[in-house]
Amino acid sequence: MSSNSQNLKSIGLKATFPRLKILDLFQKAENRHLTAEDVYRLLIAEDMDIGLATVYRVLTQFQQAGILERHYFESGKAVFELNEGGHHDHLVCMQCGHVEEFFDPAIEERQNRIAEERGFAVREHALYLYVDCKKTDCPHKAVGASQASSTSDS
């Protein structure tokens, strides 16, 4: 975690235990897109005594510092991912909430051309495609169904 400590200090954030632990979670998580509640549950699973309010505060600080990007997918909840510098777009499954990233140069070029034709230059953009899964053997359907039922119970 020492390199994370140096990274935080270089952008003006003190390397506190909660900040280091949350950054480490994002770097090691299988799921790249996490809500504040996901982060909190992962911390609890590791017996970390970091409160939900602290998680929200750290995520906001990380977003403001450019470490994390915030997205709002279909649930309306903020979802965070590490900002690794490369642009990509998202496919969001309407059945289970699974998110897949993709990059298509033709789509990027077309968006820039449309803006240019209308007298604009694209500064930044976010493309979310809300999709229906057509895979009969989708490994995410069972996961999404159990997440949806546990989310609706809270």
Side-chain angles (χ1 to χ4, degrees), residues 67-109:
I67 296 170
L68 296 178
E69 291 183 18
R70 181 188 308 237
H71 302 284
Y72 293 96
F73 296 137
E74 87 290 346
S75 68
K77 282 187 177 183
V79 178
F80 297 86
E81 71 174 312
L82 279 176
N83 179 358
E84 298 176 319
H87 172 76
H88 59 268
D89 296 310
H90 298 89
L91 295 164
V92 182
C93 179
M94 296 302 291
Q95 280 70 50
C96 71
H98 174 69
V99 178
E100 285 191 26
E101 298 172 353
F102 72 96
F103 176 79
D104 185 316
I107 290 174
E108 301 301 316
E109 190 279 326

